Structures are given as structure tokens and as C-alpha cells.
């Protein structure tokens, strides 16, 4: 396992449509392992393959640091409600912006054995699933921000 370099906004790879995964090859398994390692190293909540330069529909999420979630070919089936809150992204370091997202998301995805499963999430998990699926479609959260992009550091000061 190794960490991979996280691509930053302005890198064209972040604006491309990713391809469906058809098979978890050893090479893809290595990508998945590296994505988790990179996610934990960077203290992120989620990471999508294009953020490490790979145009495949692979997402890793962990909203608590203890709940690793792999989503291959995730597809949002259902959403409801609304939440408005600050969001950040490892590809936009140091910045946050307010994005409205559904408060509940149900998605279909595949695991490392390419077995389908459904995942339901509310609040942060719902937000993370939407954010990461957007990455797979070449969309960064900054396109959806209302209000200014702020320094995450200033935000923390405000909350204290
Ligand atoms: Ni992101």
C-alpha cells in the first residue's frame, strides 16, 4: 500500500467523466487500498478515484475514521430532505463552502467482489455520497457552493 498524490482543482482530470468498473483486478484492488491509505493520511471523509488521477468509478468514504466504505459504480437511487452546510474537498485544500445537499440518500453500489449492495445514509454520509458521486461525473463541489469560498481555518475559529 502507498499513498497517492491528490490532484488539485485546475487539474483537468478532475473534470472528466469516469468509466464503470467491470472487474476488480489486482491492480484495481491496489488502487482501492491506496485510496483508503491516502484518505486516512489526509484526514478526509471521502476520496474518489479521479482525485488520484484514475478515471474509474471508485469511491472510498469514512465518516468516523472507523467505518471504511467502498463504493464501486455507485448510483444514487433515492434522495429526500435537505441539509445546508460547509463542505470541503481534498482537491481544494484549505477551503470550504456552503452546499445544499439532500439529507437522506439511498445508493446502489458494488463491493470488492463486485456484489451489489444498497447503502443508506443521512447527514454527513448522505453529503459525502453526493460529493463523491459528483467527482465521478467530473463535478467539484465549488460549482455548487452558494456564498463565498472561505478558509477552513477561519471557519474553525468561528465555531469556537
Ligand atoms: Ni472531494
Amino acid at each position: 500500500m502507498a499513498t497517492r498524490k491528490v490532484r488539485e482543482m485546475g487539474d483537468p482530470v478532475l473534470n472528466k467523466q469516469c468509466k464503470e468498473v467491470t472487474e476488480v483486478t489486482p491492480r484495481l484492488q491496489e488502487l482501492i487500498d491506496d485510496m483508503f491509505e491516502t484518505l486516512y493520511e489526509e484526514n478526509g471523509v471521502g476520496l474518489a478515484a479521479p482525485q488520484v488521477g484514475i478515471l474509474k468509478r471508485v469511491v472510498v468514504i469514512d465518516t468516523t475514521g472507523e467505518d471504511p466504505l467502498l463504493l464501486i459504480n455507485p448510483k444514487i437511487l433515492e434522495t429526500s430532505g435537505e441539509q445546508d452546510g460547509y463542505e470541503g474537498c481534498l482537491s481544494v485544500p484549505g477551503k470550504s463552502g456552503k452546499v445544499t445537499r439532500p439529507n437522506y440518500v439511498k445508493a446502489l453500489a458494488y463491493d470488492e467482489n463486485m456484489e451489489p449492495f444498497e447503502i443508506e445514509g443521512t447527514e454527513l454520509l448522505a453529503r459525502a455520497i453526493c460529493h463523491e458521486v459528483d467527482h465521478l461525473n467530473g463535478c467539484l463541489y465549488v460549482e455548487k457552493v452558494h456564498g463565498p469560498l472561505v478558509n477552513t481555518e477561519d471557519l474553525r475559529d468561528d465555531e469556537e
Side-chain angles (χ1 to χ4, degrees):
M1 282 213 286
T3 58
R4 300 204 184 188
K5 185 181 179 319
V6 176
R7 307 299 183 91
E8 295 185 4
M9 188 165 62
D11 189 320
V13 79
L14 294 172
N15 300 114
K16 293 193 169 144
Q17 193 74 21
C18 295
K19 292 201 176 82
E20 297 261 330
V21 171
T22 53
E23 187 190 0
V24 179
T25 59
R27 196 184 162 91
L28 193 87
Q29 187 60 56
E30 195 183 334
L31 169 71
I32 293 165
D33 294 343
D34 289 355
M35 283 174 65
F36 273 115
E37 192 168 334
T38 306
L39 179 71
Y40 293 126
E41 175 75 23
E42 304 282 342
N43 290 312
V45 168
L47 187 70
Q51 292 182 274
V52 293
I54 307 290
L55 291 172
K56 291 196 179 221
R57 305 188 79 83
V58 177
V59 158
V60 297
I61 291 174
D62 195 331
T63 56
T64 65
E66 291 172 359
D67 294 302
L69 175 66
L70 166 68
L71 302 176
I72 295 176
N73 301 338
K75 196 183 210 175
I76 293 174
L77 300 175
E78 209 181 304
T79 63
S80 69
E82 206 176 271
Q83 57 173 319
D84 190 31
Y86 281 100
E87 199 163 309
C89 178
L90 294 177
S91 294
V92 191
K95 300 286 181 191
S96 296
K98 263 193 178 169
V99 184
T100 305
R101 298 281 191 188
N103 198 49
Y104 165 85
V105 169
K106 182 160 127 185
L108 170 70
Y110 294 81
D111 67 13
E112 68 278 5
N113 301 310
M114 289 307 280
E115 294 291 335
F117 66 99
E118 283 185 2
I119 171 92
E120 289 179 295
T122 59
E123 299 178 17
L124 181 57
L125 180 55
R127 178 179 291 282
I129 292 170
C130 294
H131 177 116
E132 299 311 327
V133 169
D134 278 353
H135 271 300
L136 303 181
N137 296 322
C139 174
L140 292 179
Y141 83 94
V142 294
E143 295 174 39
K144 298 188 167 178
V145 162
H146 57 90
L149 265 192
V150 300
N151 292 322
T152 307
E153 231 168 72
D154 298 343
L155 205 62
R156 286 201 194 104
D157 291 345
D158 287 351
E159 279 168 358
E160 273 168 9

